[in-house]
Amino acid sequence: MVAVTHAELALTGDLVRPDRLTVPDLLAWPQHRADVSFECATSGIQHHRFSGPRLYDVLADAGPGFDPVRRKDRLRFLIAVTGTDGHHALLSWAEIDPDFADAPVLLAVTIDGTPLDADGPQLVLPQDRCGARHVSGITVIRVDGGYGFDGPASATPGHASAAAQ
């Protein structure tokens, strides 16, 4: 019997309960299926069946650091996903939140019935026509609400601000 090494992904950033998760950990969540067709720049149209928990469920359980006093605070949060090959994708919290776009984004633990235990989960966005935001072998998911928009942006050096024009 061959032992399978389980790839880990780190949940980091503005979370009350950051964590490290494996595919077996993600199997404990309610599983959803998605038949996905997307266009890949290098290999044309791809058709796959994915299953796994919704990204929203996993991140909501990790306790995003929303400020309950600030109205609609969750709308300023971004989700950065990184894969083993260095591929990155960025989503807004509003994309996955049921009160807003409610996109059925998955952390896939299988592709076409094949478990992803050793490779790690994949980010799957069934609503995307292009497969560019699909990330294989997720290593890190960072939730970030701290980049801030506290004041007006300063003009880029060499460019006049809109107010000065």
Coordinates of all heavy atoms in Angstrom, one line a residue, residues 6-73:
H6 N -0.4 14.3 1.5 CA -1.5 15.3 1.3 C -0.9 16.7 1.2 O -0.2 17.1 2.1 CB -2.5 15.2 2.4 CG -3.2 13.9 2.5 ND1 -4.1 13.5 1.5 CD2 -3.1 12.9 3.4 CE1 -4.5 12.3 1.9 NE2 -3.9 11.9 3.0
A7 N -1.2 17.3 0.1 CA -0.8 18.7 -0.1 C -1.6 19.6 0.9 O -2.7 19.3 1.2 CB -1.0 19.2 -1.5
E8 N -1.0 20.7 1.4 CA -1.6 21.6 2.3 C -1.8 22.9 1.7 O -1.0 23.4 0.9 CB -0.8 21.7 3.6 CG -0.9 20.6 4.5 CD -0.2 21.0 5.9 OE1 0.6 21.9 5.9 OE2 -0.6 20.3 6.8
L9 N -2.9 23.6 2.0 CA -3.1 25.0 1.7 C -3.3 25.7 3.0 O -3.8 25.3 3.9 CB -4.3 25.2 0.7 CG -5.7 25.1 1.3 CD1 -6.2 26.5 1.8 CD2 -6.7 24.7 0.2
A10 N -2.7 26.9 3.0 CA -2.8 27.8 4.1 C -3.8 28.9 3.9 O -3.9 29.5 2.9 CB -1.4 28.5 4.4
L11 N -4.7 29.0 4.9 CA -5.7 30.1 4.9 C -5.0 31.2 5.8 O -4.8 31.0 7.0 CB -7.0 29.7 5.6 CG -7.8 28.6 4.8 CD1 -9.1 28.3 5.6 CD2 -8.1 29.0 3.4
T12 N -4.8 32.4 5.2 CA -4.1 33.4 5.9 C -4.8 34.7 5.8 O -5.7 34.9 5.0 CB -2.6 33.5 5.4 OG1 -2.7 34.0 4.1 CG2 -1.9 32.2 5.4
G13 N -4.2 35.7 6.4 CA -4.7 37.1 6.3 C -5.6 37.5 7.4 O -5.4 37.2 8.5
D14 N -6.6 38.3 7.0 CA -7.5 38.9 8.0 C -8.6 37.9 8.4 O -9.7 38.0 8.0 CB -8.1 40.2 7.4 CG -7.1 41.3 7.2 OD1 -6.1 41.4 7.9 OD2 -7.2 42.0 6.2
L15 N -8.1 36.9 9.1 CA -9.0 35.8 9.6 C -8.9 35.6 11.1 O -7.8 35.7 11.6 CB -8.6 34.5 8.9 CG -8.8 34.5 7.3 CD1 -8.1 33.2 6.8 CD2 -10.2 34.6 6.9
V16 N -10.0 35.3 11.7 CA -10.0 35.0 13.1 C -9.3 33.7 13.4 O -8.6 33.5 14.4 CB -11.4 35.1 13.7 CG1 -11.5 34.6 15.2 CG2 -12.0 36.4 13.5
R17 N -9.6 32.7 12.5 CA -9.1 31.4 12.6 C -8.3 30.9 11.4 O -8.8 30.1 10.6 CB -10.2 30.4 12.8 CG -10.9 30.5 14.2 CD -12.2 29.7 14.3 NE -13.2 30.0 13.4 CZ -14.0 31.1 13.4 NH1 -13.9 31.9 14.4 NH2 -15.0 31.3 12.5
P18 N -7.1 31.5 11.2 CA -6.3 31.0 10.1 C -6.0 29.5 10.2 O -6.1 29.0 11.3 CB -5.0 31.8 10.2 CG -5.0 32.4 11.5 CD -6.4 32.4 12.0
D19 N -5.7 28.8 9.1 CA -5.7 27.3 9.2 C -4.8 26.8 8.1 O -4.4 27.5 7.2 CB -7.1 26.8 9.1 CG -7.3 25.4 9.8 OD1 -6.2 24.8 10.2 OD2 -8.4 24.9 9.9
R20 N -4.5 25.5 8.2 CA -3.8 24.7 7.1 C -4.8 23.6 6.9 O -5.2 22.9 7.8 CB -2.5 24.3 7.6 CG -1.5 25.4 7.8 CD -0.1 25.0 8.1 NE 0.6 24.6 6.8 CZ 1.0 25.4 5.9 NH1 0.8 26.7 6.0 NH2 1.7 24.9 4.8
L21 N -5.1 23.4 5.6 CA -6.1 22.4 5.2 C -5.5 21.5 4.1 O -4.8 21.9 3.3 CB -7.4 23.0 4.7 CG -8.1 24.0 5.6 CD1 -9.2 24.7 4.9 CD2 -8.7 23.2 6.8
T22 N -6.0 20.2 4.2 CA -5.7 19.3 3.1 C -7.0 18.9 2.4 O -8.1 19.2 2.8 CB -5.0 18.0 3.7 OG1 -6.0 17.4 4.6 CG2 -3.7 18.3 4.5
V23 N -6.8 18.1 1.3 CA -8.0 17.6 0.6 C -8.9 16.8 1.6 O -10.1 17.0 1.6 CB -7.6 16.9 -0.7 CG1 -8.8 16.1 -1.2 CG2 -7.1 17.8 -1.7
P24 N -8.4 15.9 2.4 CA -9.2 15.2 3.3 C -10.0 16.1 4.3 O -11.2 15.9 4.6 CB -8.3 14.3 4.1 CG -7.2 14.0 3.1 CD -7.0 15.3 2.3
D25 N -9.3 17.2 4.7 CA -10.0 18.2 5.5 C -11.2 18.8 4.8 O -12.3 19.0 5.3 CB -9.1 19.3 5.9 CG -7.9 18.9 6.8 OD1 -8.1 17.9 7.6 OD2 -6.9 19.5 6.7
L26 N -11.0 19.1 3.5 CA -12.0 19.8 2.7 C -13.2 18.8 2.4 O -14.3 19.3 2.1 CB -11.4 20.3 1.4 CG -10.5 21.5 1.6 CD1 -9.8 21.8 0.3 CD2 -11.2 22.7 2.2
L27 N -12.9 17.5 2.4 CA -14.0 16.5 2.2 C -15.0 16.5 3.3 O -16.1 16.0 3.2 CB -13.4 15.1 2.0 CG -12.7 14.9 0.7 CD1 -11.9 13.6 0.7 CD2 -13.8 14.8 -0.4
A28 N -14.7 17.1 4.5 CA -15.6 17.2 5.6 C -16.7 18.2 5.4 O -17.7 18.2 6.1 CB -14.9 17.5 6.9
W29 N -16.5 19.1 4.4 CA -17.5 20.2 4.1 C -18.5 19.6 3.1 O -18.3 18.6 2.4 CB -16.8 21.3 3.4 CG -15.8 22.0 4.3 CD1 -14.5 21.8 4.5 CD2 -16.1 23.1 5.2 NE1 -14.0 22.6 5.4 CE2 -14.9 23.4 5.8 CE3 -17.3 23.8 5.4 CZ2 -14.9 24.4 6.8 CZ3 -17.2 24.8 6.4 CH2 -16.0 25.1 7.0
P30 N -19.7 20.2 3.1 CA -20.7 19.8 2.1 C -20.1 19.9 0.7 O -19.4 20.9 0.4 CB -21.8 20.8 2.2 CG -21.7 21.3 3.6 CD -20.2 21.3 3.9
Q31 N -20.2 18.9 -0.1 CA -19.6 18.8 -1.4 C -20.6 19.3 -2.5 O -21.8 18.9 -2.5 CB -19.1 17.4 -1.7 CG -18.1 16.9 -0.7 CD -16.8 17.6 -0.8 OE1 -16.1 17.6 -1.8 NE2 -16.5 18.3 0.3
H32 N -20.1 20.0 -3.5 CA -20.9 20.5 -4.6 C -20.2 20.1 -5.9 O -19.0 19.9 -5.9 CB -21.0 22.1 -4.6 CG -21.6 22.6 -3.3 ND1 -22.9 22.8 -3.2 CD2 -21.1 22.9 -2.1 CE1 -23.2 23.3 -2.0 NE2 -22.1 23.3 -1.3
R33 N -21.0 19.9 -6.9 CA -20.5 19.4 -8.2 C -20.7 20.5 -9.2 O -21.7 21.2 -9.2 CB -21.1 18.2 -8.7 CG -20.7 17.0 -7.9 CD -21.3 15.7 -8.4 NE -20.8 14.5 -7.6 CZ -21.1 14.2 -6.4 NH1 -21.9 15.0 -5.7 NH2 -20.6 13.2 -5.8
A34 N -19.7 20.6 -10.2 CA -19.9 21.6 -11.3 C -19.3 21.0 -12.5 O -18.2 20.5 -12.5 CB -19.2 22.9 -10.9
D35 N -20.1 21.0 -13.6 CA -19.6 20.6 -14.9 C -19.2 21.9 -15.5 O -20.0 22.8 -15.7 CB -20.7 19.9 -15.7 CG -21.1 18.6 -15.2 OD1 -20.1 17.8 -14.9 OD2 -22.3 18.2 -15.2
V36 N -17.9 22.0 -15.9 CA -17.4 23.3 -16.3 C -16.8 23.2 -17.7 O -16.1 22.2 -18.0 CB -16.3 23.8 -15.3 CG1 -15.7 25.1 -15.8 CG2 -16.9 23.9 -13.9
S37 N -17.1 24.1 -18.5 CA -16.4 24.3 -19.8 C -15.7 25.7 -19.8 O -16.4 26.6 -19.5 CB -17.4 24.2 -21.0 OG -18.0 22.9 -21.1
F38 N -14.5 25.7 -20.2 CA -13.8 27.0 -20.3 C -12.7 26.9 -21.4 O -12.3 25.9 -21.7 CB -13.1 27.4 -18.9 CG -12.2 26.3 -18.4 CD1 -10.8 26.4 -18.7 CD2 -12.6 25.4 -17.5 CE1 -9.9 25.5 -18.2 CE2 -11.7 24.4 -17.0 CZ -10.4 24.5 -17.3
E39 N -12.4 28.1 -21.8 CA -11.4 28.2 -22.9 C -10.1 28.4 -22.3 O -9.8 29.3 -21.5 CB -11.8 29.4 -23.8 CG -11.0 29.4 -25.1 CD -11.6 30.4 -26.1 OE1 -12.8 30.8 -26.0 OE2 -10.8 30.8 -26.9
C40 N -9.1 27.6 -22.7 CA -7.8 27.7 -22.3 C -6.9 28.2 -23.4 O -7.0 27.7 -24.5 CB -7.3 26.3 -21.8 SG -5.6 26.3 -21.2
A41 N -6.1 29.2 -23.1 CA -5.3 29.8 -24.2 C -4.3 28.9 -24.9 O -4.0 29.0 -26.0 CB -4.5 31.0 -23.6
T42 N -3.8 27.9 -24.1 CA -2.8 27.0 -24.7 C -3.4 25.7 -25.2 O -2.8 25.0 -26.0 CB -1.8 26.6 -23.6 OG1 -2.4 26.1 -22.5 CG2 -1.0 27.9 -23.2
S43 N -4.6 25.2 -24.7 CA -5.1 23.9 -25.2 C -6.6 23.9 -25.6 O -7.2 22.9 -25.7 CB -4.9 22.9 -24.1 OG -5.4 23.3 -22.8
G44 N -7.1 25.1 -25.8 CA -8.5 25.2 -26.4 C -9.6 25.0 -25.3 O -9.3 25.2 -24.1
I45 N -10.7 24.5 -25.8 CA -11.9 24.3 -24.9 C -11.6 23.1 -24.0 O -11.3 22.0 -24.5 CB -13.2 24.1 -25.7 CG1 -13.4 25.3 -26.6 CG2 -14.4 23.9 -24.8 CD1 -14.0 26.5 -26.0
Q46 N -11.8 23.3 -22.7 CA -11.7 22.2 -21.7 C -13.1 21.9 -21.1 O -13.8 22.8 -20.9 CB -10.7 22.6 -20.6 CG -9.3 22.9 -21.1 CD -8.6 21.7 -21.5 OE1 -8.5 20.7 -20.8 NE2 -8.1 21.7 -22.8
H47 N -13.4 20.6 -20.9 CA -14.6 20.2 -20.2 C -14.2 19.3 -19.1 O -13.5 18.3 -19.3 CB -15.5 19.4 -21.2 CG -15.9 20.1 -22.4 ND1 -16.9 21.1 -22.5 CD2 -15.4 20.1 -23.7 CE1 -16.9 21.6 -23.7 NE2 -16.0 21.0 -24.5
H48 N -14.6 19.7 -17.9 CA -14.3 18.9 -16.7 C -15.5 18.9 -15.7 O -16.3 19.8 -15.7 CB -13.1 19.4 -16.0 CG -11.8 19.3 -16.8 ND1 -11.2 18.1 -17.0 CD2 -11.1 20.3 -17.4 CE1 -10.1 18.3 -17.8 NE2 -10.0 19.6 -18.0
R49 N -15.5 17.9 -14.9 CA -16.4 17.8 -13.7 C -15.6 17.9 -12.5 O -14.7 17.1 -12.2 CB -17.2 16.5 -13.7 CG -18.1 16.3 -12.5 CD -19.0 15.2 -12.5 NE -20.1 15.7 -13.4 CZ -21.2 14.9 -13.7 NH1 -21.2 13.7 -13.3 NH2 -22.1 15.4 -14.4
F50 N -15.9 18.9 -11.7 CA -15.2 19.2 -10.4 C -16.2 18.9 -9.2 O -17.4 19.1 -9.4 CB -14.8 20.6 -10.3 CG -13.7 21.0 -11.3 CD1 -14.1 21.6 -12.5 CD2 -12.4 20.7 -11.1 CE1 -13.1 21.9 -13.5 CE2 -11.4 21.1 -12.0 CZ -11.8 21.7 -13.2
S51 N -15.7 18.5 -8.1 CA -16.4 18.5 -6.9 C -15.6 19.0 -5.7 O -14.4 18.9 -5.7 CB -16.9 17.1 -6.6 OG -15.8 16.2 -6.2
G52 N -16.3 19.6 -4.8 CA -15.6 20.2 -3.6 C -16.5 21.1 -2.9 O -17.6 21.4 -3.3
P53 N -16.0 21.7 -1.7 CA -16.8 22.6 -1.0 C -16.7 24.0 -1.7 O -15.8 24.3 -2.4 CB -16.1 22.7 0.4 CG -14.7 22.3 0.1 CD -14.7 21.3 -1.1
R54 N -17.7 24.8 -1.3 CA -17.7 26.2 -1.8 C -16.6 27.0 -1.1 O -16.5 26.9 0.2 CB -19.1 26.8 -1.7 CG -20.1 26.3 -2.7 CD -21.4 26.9 -2.6 NE -21.6 27.7 -3.8 CZ -22.6 28.4 -4.1 NH1 -23.6 28.6 -3.2 NH2 -22.7 29.0 -5.2
L55 N -15.9 27.8 -1.8 CA -14.9 28.7 -1.2 C -15.6 29.6 -0.1 O -15.0 29.7 1.0 CB -14.3 29.6 -2.3 CG -13.3 30.6 -1.8 CD1 -12.1 30.0 -1.1 CD2 -12.9 31.5 -3.0
Y56 N -16.7 30.1 -0.3 CA -17.4 30.9 0.7 C -17.6 30.2 2.0 O -17.3 30.8 3.1 CB -18.8 31.4 0.1 CG -19.6 32.1 1.2 CD1 -19.3 33.5 1.4 CD2 -20.5 31.5 2.0 CE1 -20.0 34.2 2.4 CE2 -21.2 32.2 3.0 CZ -20.9 33.5 3.2 OH -21.6 34.2 4.2
D57 N -18.0 28.9 2.0 CA -18.2 28.2 3.2 C -17.0 28.0 4.0 O -16.9 28.2 5.2 CB -18.8 26.8 2.9 CG -20.2 26.9 2.3 OD1 -20.9 27.9 2.5 OD2 -20.6 25.9 1.6
V58 N -15.9 27.7 3.3 CA -14.6 27.5 4.0 C -14.1 28.8 4.6 O -13.6 28.8 5.7 CB -13.6 26.8 3.0 CG1 -12.2 26.8 3.7 CG2 -14.1 25.5 2.6
L59 N -14.1 29.9 3.8 CA -13.6 31.1 4.3 C -14.5 31.7 5.4 O -14.0 32.3 6.3 CB -13.4 32.1 3.2 CG -12.3 31.8 2.2 CD1 -12.2 32.9 1.1 CD2 -11.0 31.5 2.9
A60 N -15.8 31.6 5.2 CA -16.7 32.1 6.3 C -16.5 31.4 7.6 O -16.5 32.1 8.7 CB -18.2 32.0 5.8
D61 N -16.1 30.1 7.6 CA -15.8 29.4 8.8 C -14.5 29.9 9.4 O -14.4 29.8 10.6 CB -15.8 27.9 8.5 CG -15.7 27.1 9.8 OD1 -16.6 27.1 10.6 OD2 -14.6 26.5 10.0
A62 N -13.6 30.4 8.6 CA -12.3 30.8 9.1 C -12.5 32.2 9.8 O -11.5 32.7 10.4 CB -11.3 30.9 8.0
G63 N -13.6 32.8 9.7 CA -13.9 34.1 10.4 C -13.2 35.3 9.8 O -12.3 35.9 10.4
P64 N -13.6 35.7 8.6 CA -13.1 37.0 8.1 C -13.2 38.1 9.1 O -14.2 38.2 9.8 CB -13.9 37.3 6.8 CG -14.6 36.0 6.5 CD -14.7 35.2 7.8
G65 N -12.2 39.0 9.1 CA -12.2 40.1 10.1 C -13.0 41.3 9.7 O -12.5 42.4 9.7
F66 N -14.3 41.0 9.4 CA -15.1 42.2 9.1 C -15.4 43.0 10.3 O -15.6 42.5 11.4 CB -16.5 41.7 8.5 CG -16.4 40.7 7.4 CD1 -17.3 39.7 7.2 CD2 -15.5 40.9 6.3 CE1 -17.3 38.8 6.2 CE2 -15.4 40.1 5.3 CZ -16.3 39.0 5.2
D67 N -15.4 44.3 10.1 CA -15.7 45.2 11.2 C -17.2 45.4 11.3 O -17.9 46.0 10.4 CB -15.1 46.6 11.0 CG -15.3 47.6 12.1 OD1 -16.1 47.4 13.0 OD2 -14.6 48.6 12.1
P68 N -17.9 44.9 12.4 CA -19.4 44.9 12.4 C -19.9 46.4 12.5 O -21.1 46.6 12.3 CB -19.7 44.1 13.7 CG -18.4 44.1 14.5 CD -17.3 44.3 13.5
V69 N -19.1 47.3 12.9 CA -19.5 48.7 13.0 C -19.5 49.4 11.7 O -20.3 50.3 11.4 CB -18.6 49.5 14.0 CG1 -19.0 50.9 14.1 CG2 -18.6 48.8 15.4
R70 N -18.7 49.0 10.8 CA -18.6 49.6 9.4 C -19.6 49.0 8.5 O -19.6 47.8 8.3 CB -17.2 49.4 8.8 CG -16.1 50.2 9.6 CD -14.8 50.0 9.0 NE -14.6 50.6 7.7 CZ -13.5 50.6 7.0 NH1 -12.4 50.0 7.5 NH2 -13.5 51.1 5.8
R71 N -20.5 49.8 8.0 CA -21.5 49.3 7.1 C -20.9 48.7 5.8 O -20.0 49.3 5.2 CB -22.4 50.5 6.7 CG -23.6 50.1 5.9 CD -24.6 51.3 5.8 NE -25.7 50.9 5.0 CZ -25.9 51.2 3.7 NH1 -25.0 51.8 3.1 NH2 -27.0 50.8 3.1
K72 N -21.3 47.5 5.5 CA -20.9 46.8 4.3 C -19.3 46.6 4.3 O -18.7 46.6 3.2 CB -21.3 47.6 3.0 CG -22.8 47.8 2.9 CD -23.1 48.5 1.6 CE -24.5 49.1 1.6 NZ -24.7 50.0 0.5
D73 N -18.7 46.5 5.4 CA -17.3 46.3 5.5 C -16.8 45.2 4.6 O -15.7 45.3 4.1 CB -16.9 46.1 7.0 CG -15.4 46.1 7.2 OD1 -14.7 47.1 6.7 OD2 -14.8 45.2 7.7

